[in-house]
Amino acid sequence: MSDEATTVRRATCACGQLAIECVGDPVRISVCHCLDCQRRSGSSFAAQARFPADRVTVSGQSRQWSRTGDEGGVADMSFCTECGSTLFYVAHVDPDLVAVAIGGFADPTFPAPNYSVYEGRKHGWVSIVGDGIDHYG
């Protein structure tokens, strides 16, 4: 991967009012097929990259909404007050990491995921492929 000291990635909501800058490489890139992530993303799955909280800077106005997943985990979703895009979230189980929606980076060269989780809820026509991806039911 790239040099941690020089890589800066910027993600924004659809209207650009809310932005997050992330320094260095993500510590985890994942795809989640759980029903909550499907609802949150408006798609058949959600893709996110987690960065250490001390390496992210948020600008703009956001609102938070806490959701409890079906296994009891709570996460605080942060979304734009103007366009409603969910740009990032923090799971209570791991408060030192910020999960940023990969689509917010609008970068087709963004690294591939390392994990695909809740595959038991994956749509039958979806296939997450690539080298080195861990698959979890």
Side-chain angles (χ1 to χ4, degrees):
M1 291 212 166
S2 58
D3 181 2
E4 295 263 341
T6 60
T7 303
V8 177
R9 293 181 174 91
R10 180 178 168 84
T12 66
C13 64
C15 73
Q17 184 276 134
L18 180 61
I20 187 166
E21 284 195 349
C22 307
V23 177
D25 289 328
V27 297
R28 178 177 174 168
I29 303 171
S30 61
V31 173
C32 183
H33 304 277
C34 81
L35 300 179
D36 287 324
C37 280
Q38 290 181 35
R39 287 184 191 100
R40 174 179 59 83
S41 69
S43 185
S44 56
F45 58 87
Q48 50 278 324
R50 288 175 173 78
F51 293 88
D54 63 354
R55 292 188 178 166
V56 301
T57 303
V58 176
S59 59
Q61 297 295 314
S62 66
R63 288 197 59 190
Q64 283 71 43
W65 181 71
S66 295
R67 77 168 170 91
T68 302
D70 59 357
E71 292 184 9
V74 178
D76 298 327
M77 306 293 151
S78 293
F79 57 95
C80 176
T81 58
E82 296 297 316
C83 68
S85 299
T86 300
L87 187 58
F88 61 95
Y89 67 89
V90 175
H92 289 199
V93 70
D94 218 345
D96 295 330
L97 292 177
V98 178
V100 182
I102 291 175
F105 293 104
D107 177 3
T109 67
F110 199 90
N114 312 82
Y115 299 91
S116 179
V117 299
Y118 287 100
E119 288 196 336
R121 296 177 183 163
K122 180 172 64 67
H123 289 238
W125 48 266
V126 170
S127 183
I128 306 299
V129 298
D131 295 331
I133 299 174
D134 292 330
H135 297 269
Y136 298 97

